[in-house]
Every structure is written in C-alpha cells, then in structure tokens.
Amino acid sequence: MNNFHDRYGTHAFIAGSAEGIGAAFAAALAAKEMNLVLADRDETALSSFIHDLQKKHAVEITPLIVDLGEPDAWKTCGEMIREKGCRLMVYNTAFSIVRPFSALSHEELDLFLSVNNRTMLHLVHDFISQLKTRKESGGILLMSSLAGLVGPRLVAPYAGTKGFINLLGEALYHELKQDHIDLTVCCAGTTSTPTWQASRPDLSRLNPGVMEPGKVAEYAIRNLGRKNRCIPGWKNRIQYFMLTHLLPRSIAASIVSNAMGKLYGRQM
C-alpha cells in the first residue's frame, strides 16, 4: 500500500466512472485507500454509485459532471485534477456503437473521435505536464480493446480509435520512463458492462468468454507500469497470441470479423 501511494499519491481521477469498468476501477482504488475524482456525464447514476461506494470505503470522493465529448471537457477535468493533486489517472470513457460503418451519422463519427481520442489526448498531455511541473511520479491507465489490435467489422471507427490509443500508449510508455510516470494501456476483451449488454449480442451462436468488470480493473491496476500493454483474462491472451503470432493478418482479421457476424448478424 505504501509503495502504491508513494508512486501514485493519494488521489486518482477516473473518466467514465458511473458504471461498468470505470466503476470497478473506482471500487478497486477506493479499496487501496485512494481518494477519488469521478467524472461522468450521468449525474444520477454517478451519485447513486458514489453513495454506495462511500458505505464501503472511508475515502474522499469528488463527483465531476462533464460530457467528455465537449471540446473543453479536458480543461474541466484538468482543473479538477490540478485542484486535488491527482497523480493517477484512468481514462475509461468510450463511445461505442455496433453498426455498419455506412449506417453511422456524421455526428456519431465525431463522437468516436472526440470522446475516444481528442479529449483523452489533451487530458493525457495536460496531466503529464502537471506531473512534470510538480516533479512528481504518477500513473496513467488508458482503456483500449482487443478490437483495436485486430479490427472486426461492425465496430470500424471504434476499433480505429482504440488502435490509436494502443500506439499512443506504446510510444508514451517509453517516453515517460525518465520522468517516473507509468503508462499502461489495458486492452480488454468482451466485458459484462451495461454498454455491452445494451448492444444485445446473440450468445446462442458464439460464447466470447465474457469477463466481469472487477477482474478487468484489478488486472489493469496490478500491471500498471510493468508493461506498455496488458490484456486481462488468460483466454483473451491466448486468443490474441494465436491471432497475431500464429496466423497471417488477413486470416486473423477474417476470423474476428466472422465472430462479430455471429454475435451481431442481425445488424449487418
């Protein structure tokens, strides 16, 4: 515990924290006696979650109601991070729709870019600048997806924006070492979150091996700083190794896209 606090301080910021993996990160960090700044656009869901979390953990929790798709959202988050002196940041928020690319609206395409990449990029930059100015160590966890490693159909812009996060994290992992700032990208597989459940996958044709959010969050926290990329779940790691090391890229992409077809064939 002392080593964790020495490295990452006593305050953490989590973007996208009212439910799913973000809420699991909050619970896991609260268990480590970290005070939290929890950002989400859903005020009702966030208030309910904080109420439940504070029954279990005696930590300071500050809610921040913000739409991370807005142009200046990163400034709002950055100001709160600065005020609380956060040295650990988790960017979990993501915009995701399972739909053919041609059926997406231009407004939806903009949301993929603004929520998944633009706000994240500016916020990470600002957070790093704060740590360097204060000459403090810190940590950054960016949530990505296996879809960003081998892009399947029906989630093309989602996969593209997650692929961007993977490469950004790989570069920054090495760049930030000299500043004692850990950065790890967590590439999660299928996880039982409200967003995934709302996509209504057809599990009668394929069982993708669904993980619980708590397991994903705990694995990511445990591997922060150990490697530039971590993949929760041994089944996911085996599948990734087979798809990227044993098979030609074209065949791997075909296998993944066919699996998506089985899960969401009605939407093709």
Side-chain angles (χ1 to χ4, degrees), residues 153-154 196 200-210 255-268:
R153 58 181 167 178
L154 299 179
W196 178 76
R200 298 182 299 113
D202 181 3
L203 299 181
S204 67
R205 302 182 63 196
L206 180 70
N207 185 350
V210 184
I255 290 173
V256 173
S257 287
N258 286 338
M260 283 293 289
K262 291 181 179 179
L263 286 172
Y264 298 100
R266 67 186 181 281
Q267 301 184 41
M268 293 170 58

PDB file of all heavy atoms in Angstrom, residues 153-154 196 200-210 255-268:
ATOM      1  N   ARG A 153     -15.361  -6.130 -38.209  1.00  0.00           N
ATOM      2  CA  ARG A 153     -16.425  -5.350 -38.833  1.00  0.00           C
ATOM      3  C   ARG A 153     -17.482  -4.972 -37.798  1.00  0.00           C
ATOM      4  O   ARG A 153     -17.519  -5.519 -36.696  1.00  0.00           O
ATOM      5  CB  ARG A 153     -17.078  -6.148 -39.963  1.00  0.00           C
ATOM      6  CG  ARG A 153     -17.655  -7.485 -39.533  1.00  0.00           C
ATOM      7  CD  ARG A 153     -18.256  -8.210 -40.713  1.00  0.00           C
ATOM      8  NE  ARG A 153     -18.551  -9.604 -40.405  1.00  0.00           N
ATOM      9  CZ  ARG A 153     -19.121 -10.446 -41.269  1.00  0.00           C
ATOM     10  NH1 ARG A 153     -19.428 -10.026 -42.481  1.00  0.00           N
ATOM     11  NH2 ARG A 153     -19.357 -11.699 -40.925  1.00  0.00           N
ATOM     12  N   LEU A 154     -18.320  -4.045 -38.148  1.00  0.00           N
ATOM     13  CA  LEU A 154     -19.433  -3.531 -37.347  1.00  0.00           C
ATOM     14  C   LEU A 154     -18.993  -2.592 -36.229  1.00  0.00           C
ATOM     15  O   LEU A 154     -19.833  -1.967 -35.580  1.00  0.00           O
ATOM     16  CB  LEU A 154     -20.288  -4.665 -36.752  1.00  0.00           C
ATOM     17  CG  LEU A 154     -20.963  -5.590 -37.772  1.00  0.00           C
ATOM     18  CD1 LEU A 154     -21.747  -6.681 -37.055  1.00  0.00           C
ATOM     19  CD2 LEU A 154     -21.881  -4.792 -38.687  1.00  0.00           C
ATOM     20  N   TRP A 196     -22.078  -3.059 -23.204  1.00  0.00           N
ATOM     21  CA  TRP A 196     -22.036  -4.314 -23.965  1.00  0.00           C
ATOM     22  C   TRP A 196     -23.392  -5.006 -23.931  1.00  0.00           C
ATOM     23  O   TRP A 196     -23.869  -5.511 -24.947  1.00  0.00           O
ATOM     24  CB  TRP A 196     -20.960  -5.235 -23.394  1.00  0.00           C
ATOM     25  CG  TRP A 196     -20.895  -6.558 -24.098  1.00  0.00           C
ATOM     26  CD1 TRP A 196     -20.339  -6.799 -25.332  1.00  0.00           C
ATOM     27  CD2 TRP A 196     -21.418  -7.812 -23.644  1.00  0.00           C
ATOM     28  NE1 TRP A 196     -20.476  -8.124 -25.668  1.00  0.00           N
ATOM     29  CE2 TRP A 196     -21.140  -8.764 -24.652  1.00  0.00           C
ATOM     30  CE3 TRP A 196     -22.076  -8.214 -22.498  1.00  0.00           C
ATOM     31  CZ2 TRP A 196     -21.505 -10.105 -24.531  1.00  0.00           C
ATOM     32  CZ3 TRP A 196     -22.439  -9.544 -22.368  1.00  0.00           C
ATOM     33  CH2 TRP A 196     -22.162 -10.472 -23.386  1.00  0.00           C
ATOM     34  N   ARG A 200     -26.933  -5.989 -27.241  1.00  0.00           N
ATOM     35  CA  ARG A 200     -27.753  -7.180 -27.485  1.00  0.00           C
ATOM     36  C   ARG A 200     -27.049  -8.226 -28.366  1.00  0.00           C
ATOM     37  O   ARG A 200     -27.529  -8.582 -29.431  1.00  0.00           O
ATOM     38  CB  ARG A 200     -29.097  -6.795 -28.097  1.00  0.00           C
ATOM     39  CG  ARG A 200     -29.936  -5.914 -27.189  1.00  0.00           C
ATOM     40  CD  ARG A 200     -31.292  -5.563 -27.767  1.00  0.00           C
ATOM     41  NE  ARG A 200     -31.173  -4.824 -29.007  1.00  0.00           N
ATOM     42  CZ  ARG A 200     -31.546  -5.288 -30.196  1.00  0.00           C
ATOM     43  NH1 ARG A 200     -32.042  -6.504 -30.297  1.00  0.00           N
ATOM     44  NH2 ARG A 200     -31.419  -4.546 -31.271  1.00  0.00           N
ATOM     45  N   PRO A 201     -25.905  -8.729 -27.916  1.00  0.00           N
ATOM     46  CA  PRO A 201     -25.212  -9.776 -28.682  1.00  0.00           C
ATOM     47  C   PRO A 201     -25.995 -11.083 -28.659  1.00  0.00           C
ATOM     48  O   PRO A 201     -26.690 -11.383 -27.680  1.00  0.00           O
ATOM     49  CB  PRO A 201     -23.879  -9.927 -27.942  1.00  0.00           C
ATOM     50  CG  PRO A 201     -24.198  -9.507 -26.543  1.00  0.00           C
ATOM     51  CD  PRO A 201     -25.203  -8.401 -26.667  1.00  0.00           C
ATOM     52  N   ASP A 202     -25.897 -11.843 -29.731  1.00  0.00           N
ATOM     53  CA  ASP A 202     -26.577 -13.139 -29.828  1.00  0.00           C
ATOM     54  C   ASP A 202     -25.633 -14.222 -29.320  1.00  0.00           C
ATOM     55  O   ASP A 202     -24.784 -14.726 -30.053  1.00  0.00           O
ATOM     56  CB  ASP A 202     -26.970 -13.405 -31.284  1.00  0.00           C
ATOM     57  CG  ASP A 202     -27.712 -14.733 -31.448  1.00  0.00           C
ATOM     58  OD1 ASP A 202     -27.952 -15.406 -30.425  1.00  0.00           O
ATOM     59  OD2 ASP A 202     -28.031 -15.090 -32.596  1.00  0.00           O
ATOM     60  N   LEU A 203     -25.777 -14.583 -28.060  1.00  0.00           N
ATOM     61  CA  LEU A 203     -24.873 -15.550 -27.447  1.00  0.00           C
ATOM     62  C   LEU A 203     -25.246 -16.992 -27.763  1.00  0.00           C
ATOM     63  O   LEU A 203     -24.551 -17.915 -27.332  1.00  0.00           O
ATOM     64  CB  LEU A 203     -24.852 -15.344 -25.933  1.00  0.00           C
ATOM     65  CG  LEU A 203     -24.374 -13.965 -25.458  1.00  0.00           C
ATOM     66  CD1 LEU A 203     -24.388 -13.908 -23.941  1.00  0.00           C
ATOM     67  CD2 LEU A 203     -22.991 -13.647 -25.999  1.00  0.00           C
ATOM     68  N   SER A 204     -26.307 -17.188 -28.521  1.00  0.00           N
ATOM     69  CA  SER A 204     -26.700 -18.552 -28.878  1.00  0.00           C
ATOM     70  C   SER A 204     -25.782 -19.148 -29.936  1.00  0.00           C
ATOM     71  O   SER A 204     -25.697 -20.370 -30.085  1.00  0.00           O
ATOM     72  CB  SER A 204     -28.144 -18.563 -29.382  1.00  0.00           C
ATOM     73  OG  SER A 204     -28.257 -17.864 -30.622  1.00  0.00           O
ATOM     74  N   ARG A 205     -25.089 -18.299 -30.685  1.00  0.00           N
ATOM     75  CA  ARG A 205     -24.218 -18.767 -31.763  1.00  0.00           C
ATOM     76  C   ARG A 205     -22.739 -18.724 -31.397  1.00  0.00           C
ATOM     77  O   ARG A 205     -21.919 -19.377 -32.031  1.00  0.00           O
ATOM     78  CB  ARG A 205     -24.460 -17.935 -33.026  1.00  0.00           C
ATOM     79  CG  ARG A 205     -25.890 -17.958 -33.522  1.00  0.00           C
ATOM     80  CD  ARG A 205     -26.026 -17.156 -34.790  1.00  0.00           C
ATOM     81  NE  ARG A 205     -25.230 -17.733 -35.872  1.00  0.00           N
ATOM     82  CZ  ARG A 205     -24.917 -17.078 -36.990  1.00  0.00           C
ATOM     83  NH1 ARG A 205     -25.303 -15.819 -37.160  1.00  0.00           N
ATOM     84  NH2 ARG A 205     -24.203 -17.671 -37.924  1.00  0.00           N
ATOM     85  N   LEU A 206     -22.394 -17.935 -30.368  1.00  0.00           N
ATOM     86  CA  LEU A 206     -20.980 -17.788 -30.009  1.00  0.00           C
ATOM     87  C   LEU A 206     -20.877 -17.310 -28.566  1.00  0.00           C
ATOM     88  O   LEU A 206     -21.588 -16.384 -28.161  1.00  0.00           O
ATOM     89  CB  LEU A 206     -20.290 -16.785 -30.944  1.00  0.00           C
ATOM     90  CG  LEU A 206     -18.811 -16.521 -30.684  1.00  0.00           C
ATOM     91  CD1 LEU A 206     -17.987 -17.748 -31.057  1.00  0.00           C
ATOM     92  CD2 LEU A 206     -18.336 -15.312 -31.488  1.00  0.00           C
ATOM     93  N   ASN A 207     -20.006 -17.937 -27.802  1.00  0.00           N
ATOM     94  CA  ASN A 207     -19.723 -17.501 -26.440  1.00  0.00           C
ATOM     95  C   ASN A 207     -18.330 -16.889 -26.415  1.00  0.00           C
ATOM     96  O   ASN A 207     -17.328 -17.611 -26.474  1.00  0.00           O
ATOM     97  CB  ASN A 207     -19.802 -18.677 -25.458  1.00  0.00           C
ATOM     98  CG  ASN A 207     -19.621 -18.231 -24.015  1.00  0.00           C
ATOM     99  OD1 ASN A 207     -19.251 -17.086 -23.752  1.00  0.00           O
ATOM    100  ND2 ASN A 207     -19.882 -19.124 -23.082  1.00  0.00           N
ATOM    101  N   PRO A 208     -18.233 -15.556 -26.357  1.00  0.00           N
ATOM    102  CA  PRO A 208     -16.919 -14.906 -26.450  1.00  0.00           C
ATOM    103  C   PRO A 208     -16.094 -14.956 -25.174  1.00  0.00           C
ATOM    104  O   PRO A 208     -14.973 -14.435 -25.147  1.00  0.00           O
ATOM    105  CB  PRO A 208     -17.297 -13.462 -26.795  1.00  0.00           C
ATOM    106  CG  PRO A 208     -18.628 -13.269 -26.163  1.00  0.00           C
ATOM    107  CD  PRO A 208     -19.334 -14.598 -26.242  1.00  0.00           C
ATOM    108  N   GLY A 209     -16.604 -15.535 -24.106  1.00  0.00           N
ATOM    109  CA  GLY A 209     -15.847 -15.570 -22.849  1.00  0.00           C
ATOM    110  C   GLY A 209     -15.886 -14.229 -22.158  1.00  0.00           C
ATOM    111  O   GLY A 209     -14.901 -13.486 -22.161  1.00  0.00           O
ATOM    112  N   VAL A 210     -17.036 -13.906 -21.579  1.00  0.00           N
ATOM    113  CA  VAL A 210     -17.275 -12.588 -21.004  1.00  0.00           C
ATOM    114  C   VAL A 210     -16.622 -12.457 -19.629  1.00  0.00           C
ATOM    115  O   VAL A 210     -16.785 -13.324 -18.769  1.00  0.00           O
ATOM    116  CB  VAL A 210     -18.794 -12.319 -20.891  1.00  0.00           C
ATOM    117  CG1 VAL A 210     -19.040 -10.901 -20.385  1.00  0.00           C
ATOM    118  CG2 VAL A 210     -19.474 -12.547 -22.237  1.00  0.00           C
ATOM    119  N   ILE A 255     -11.246 -14.113 -39.179  1.00  0.00           N
ATOM    120  CA  ILE A 255     -11.791 -14.880 -38.059  1.00  0.00           C
ATOM    121  C   ILE A 255     -12.536 -13.959 -37.092  1.00  0.00           C
ATOM    122  O   ILE A 255     -13.652 -14.249 -36.647  1.00  0.00           O
ATOM    123  CB  ILE A 255     -10.667 -15.635 -37.330  1.00  0.00           C
ATOM    124  CG1 ILE A 255     -10.140 -16.775 -38.205  1.00  0.00           C
ATOM    125  CG2 ILE A 255     -11.167 -16.177 -35.989  1.00  0.00           C
ATOM    126  CD1 ILE A 255      -8.931 -17.464 -37.628  1.00  0.00           C
ATOM    127  N   VAL A 256     -11.915 -12.828 -36.775  1.00  0.00           N
ATOM    128  CA  VAL A 256     -12.531 -11.884 -35.835  1.00  0.00           C
ATOM    129  C   VAL A 256     -13.810 -11.299 -36.417  1.00  0.00           C
ATOM    130  O   VAL A 256     -14.826 -11.159 -35.721  1.00  0.00           O
ATOM    131  CB  VAL A 256     -11.529 -10.765 -35.476  1.00  0.00           C
ATOM    132  CG1 VAL A 256     -12.207  -9.688 -34.645  1.00  0.00           C
ATOM    133  CG2 VAL A 256     -10.345 -11.341 -34.711  1.00  0.00           C
ATOM    134  N   SER A 257     -13.783 -10.949 -37.686  1.00  0.00           N
ATOM    135  CA  SER A 257     -14.970 -10.378 -38.315  1.00  0.00           C
ATOM    136  C   SER A 257     -16.102 -11.393 -38.416  1.00  0.00           C
ATOM    137  O   SER A 257     -17.282 -11.059 -38.251  1.00  0.00           O
ATOM    138  CB  SER A 257     -14.631  -9.832 -39.708  1.00  0.00           C
ATOM    139  OG  SER A 257     -13.871  -8.644 -39.606  1.00  0.00           O
ATOM    140  N   ASN A 258     -15.771 -12.649 -38.679  1.00  0.00           N
ATOM    141  CA  ASN A 258     -16.790 -13.698 -38.707  1.00  0.00           C
ATOM    142  C   ASN A 258     -17.422 -13.894 -37.328  1.00  0.00           C
ATOM    143  O   ASN A 258     -18.628 -14.143 -37.221  1.00  0.00           O
ATOM    144  CB  ASN A 258     -16.181 -15.011 -39.207  1.00  0.00           C
ATOM    145  CG  ASN A 258     -15.912 -14.997 -40.697  1.00  0.00           C
ATOM    146  OD1 ASN A 258     -16.523 -14.223 -41.437  1.00  0.00           O
ATOM    147  ND2 ASN A 258     -14.992 -15.838 -41.151  1.00  0.00           N
ATOM    148  N   ALA A 259     -16.606 -13.774 -36.299  1.00  0.00           N
ATOM    149  CA  ALA A 259     -17.134 -13.890 -34.934  1.00  0.00           C
ATOM    150  C   ALA A 259     -18.113 -12.763 -34.643  1.00  0.00           C
ATOM    151  O   ALA A 259     -19.174 -12.983 -34.030  1.00  0.00           O
ATOM    152  CB  ALA A 259     -15.983 -13.872 -33.935  1.00  0.00           C
ATOM    153  N   MET A 260     -17.785 -11.559 -35.096  1.00  0.00           N
ATOM    154  CA  MET A 260     -18.703 -10.439 -34.913  1.00  0.00           C
ATOM    155  C   MET A 260     -19.999 -10.674 -35.676  1.00  0.00           C
ATOM    156  O   MET A 260     -21.088 -10.300 -35.223  1.00  0.00           O
ATOM    157  CB  MET A 260     -18.044  -9.144 -35.377  1.00  0.00           C
ATOM    158  CG  MET A 260     -17.047  -8.585 -34.395  1.00  0.00           C
ATOM    159  SD  MET A 260     -17.796  -8.017 -32.839  1.00  0.00           S
ATOM    160  CE  MET A 260     -18.647  -6.551 -33.397  1.00  0.00           C
ATOM    161  N   GLY A 261     -19.882 -11.300 -36.837  1.00  0.00           N
ATOM    162  CA  GLY A 261     -21.076 -11.609 -37.615  1.00  0.00           C
ATOM    163  C   GLY A 261     -22.007 -12.559 -36.874  1.00  0.00           C
ATOM    164  O   GLY A 261     -23.231 -12.445 -36.956  1.00  0.00           O
ATOM    165  N   LYS A 262     -21.433 -13.501 -36.138  1.00  0.00           N
ATOM    166  CA  LYS A 262     -22.249 -14.441 -35.374  1.00  0.00           C
ATOM    167  C   LYS A 262     -22.930 -13.749 -34.190  1.00  0.00           C
ATOM    168  O   LYS A 262     -24.064 -14.055 -33.827  1.00  0.00           O
ATOM    169  CB  LYS A 262     -21.376 -15.598 -34.871  1.00  0.00           C
ATOM    170  CG  LYS A 262     -20.892 -16.525 -35.977  1.00  0.00           C
ATOM    171  CD  LYS A 262     -20.049 -17.649 -35.407  1.00  0.00           C
ATOM    172  CE  LYS A 262     -19.580 -18.585 -36.515  1.00  0.00           C
ATOM    173  NZ  LYS A 262     -18.735 -19.685 -35.984  1.00  0.00           N
ATOM    174  N   LEU A 263     -22.229 -12.792 -33.591  1.00  0.00           N
ATOM    175  CA  LEU A 263     -22.783 -12.104 -32.445  1.00  0.00           C
ATOM    176  C   LEU A 263     -23.826 -11.066 -32.835  1.00  0.00           C
ATOM    177  O   LEU A 263     -24.804 -10.835 -32.114  1.00  0.00           O
ATOM    178  CB  LEU A 263     -21.669 -11.409 -31.645  1.00  0.00           C
ATOM    179  CG  LEU A 263     -20.757 -12.309 -30.795  1.00  0.00           C
ATOM    180  CD1 LEU A 263     -19.604 -11.497 -30.239  1.00  0.00           C
ATOM    181  CD2 LEU A 263     -21.547 -12.942 -29.655  1.00  0.00           C
ATOM    182  N   TYR A 264     -23.606 -10.428 -33.997  1.00  0.00           N
ATOM    183  CA  TYR A 264     -24.454  -9.301 -34.373  1.00  0.00           C
ATOM    184  C   TYR A 264     -24.952  -9.411 -35.811  1.00  0.00           C
ATOM    185  O   TYR A 264     -25.116  -8.408 -36.495  1.00  0.00           O
ATOM    186  CB  TYR A 264     -23.694  -7.986 -34.200  1.00  0.00           C
ATOM    187  CG  TYR A 264     -23.273  -7.719 -32.778  1.00  0.00           C
ATOM    188  CD1 TYR A 264     -21.963  -7.966 -32.353  1.00  0.00           C
ATOM    189  CD2 TYR A 264     -24.187  -7.235 -31.841  1.00  0.00           C
ATOM    190  CE1 TYR A 264     -21.572  -7.724 -31.043  1.00  0.00           C
ATOM    191  CE2 TYR A 264     -23.806  -6.989 -30.528  1.00  0.00           C
ATOM    192  CZ  TYR A 264     -22.504  -7.230 -30.146  1.00  0.00           C
ATOM    193  OH  TYR A 264     -22.118  -6.983 -28.843  1.00  0.00           O
ATOM    194  N   GLY A 265     -25.194 -10.640 -36.286  1.00  0.00           N
ATOM    195  CA  GLY A 265     -25.593 -10.838 -37.662  1.00  0.00           C
ATOM    196  C   GLY A 265     -26.824 -10.074 -38.066  1.00  0.00           C
ATOM    197  O   GLY A 265     -26.964  -9.632 -39.216  1.00  0.00           O
ATOM    198  N   ARG A 266     -27.744  -9.875 -37.140  1.00  0.00           N
ATOM    199  CA  ARG A 266     -28.980  -9.166 -37.456  1.00  0.00           C
ATOM    200  C   ARG A 266     -28.744  -7.697 -37.790  1.00  0.00           C
ATOM    201  O   ARG A 266     -29.609  -7.042 -38.368  1.00  0.00           O
ATOM    202  CB  ARG A 266     -29.950  -9.259 -36.284  1.00  0.00           C
ATOM    203  CG  ARG A 266     -29.471  -8.516 -35.049  1.00  0.00           C
ATOM    204  CD  ARG A 266     -30.372  -8.718 -33.836  1.00  0.00           C
ATOM    205  NE  ARG A 266     -29.890  -7.977 -32.702  1.00  0.00           N
ATOM    206  CZ  ARG A 266     -28.892  -8.346 -31.908  1.00  0.00           C
ATOM    207  NH1 ARG A 266     -28.276  -9.490 -32.152  1.00  0.00           N
ATOM    208  NH2 ARG A 266     -28.509  -7.613 -30.899  1.00  0.00           N
ATOM    209  N   GLN A 267     -27.545  -7.167 -37.406  1.00  0.00           N
ATOM    210  CA  GLN A 267     -27.285  -5.761 -37.630  1.00  0.00           C
ATOM    211  C   GLN A 267     -26.466  -5.514 -38.889  1.00  0.00           C
ATOM    212  O   GLN A 267     -26.116  -4.395 -39.204  1.00  0.00           O
ATOM    213  CB  GLN A 267     -26.562  -5.164 -36.418  1.00  0.00           C
ATOM    214  CG  GLN A 267     -27.362  -5.303 -35.134  1.00  0.00           C
ATOM    215  CD  GLN A 267     -26.672  -4.618 -33.968  1.00  0.00           C
ATOM    216  OE1 GLN A 267     -26.129  -3.523 -34.130  1.00  0.00           O
ATOM    217  NE2 GLN A 267     -26.708  -5.210 -32.794  1.00  0.00           N
ATOM    218  N   MET A 268     -26.129  -6.572 -39.623  1.00  0.00           N
ATOM    219  CA  MET A 268     -25.287  -6.410 -40.800  1.00  0.00           C
ATOM    220  C   MET A 268     -26.121  -5.985 -42.008  1.00  0.00           C
ATOM    221  O   MET A 268     -27.293  -6.242 -42.097  1.00  0.00           O
ATOM    222  CB  MET A 268     -24.568  -7.732 -41.082  1.00  0.00           C
ATOM    223  CG  MET A 268     -23.543  -8.098 -40.010  1.00  0.00           C
ATOM    224  SD  MET A 268     -22.893  -9.785 -40.194  1.00  0.00           S
ATOM    225  CE  MET A 268     -22.224  -9.688 -41.842  1.00  0.00           C
TER     226      MET A 268
END
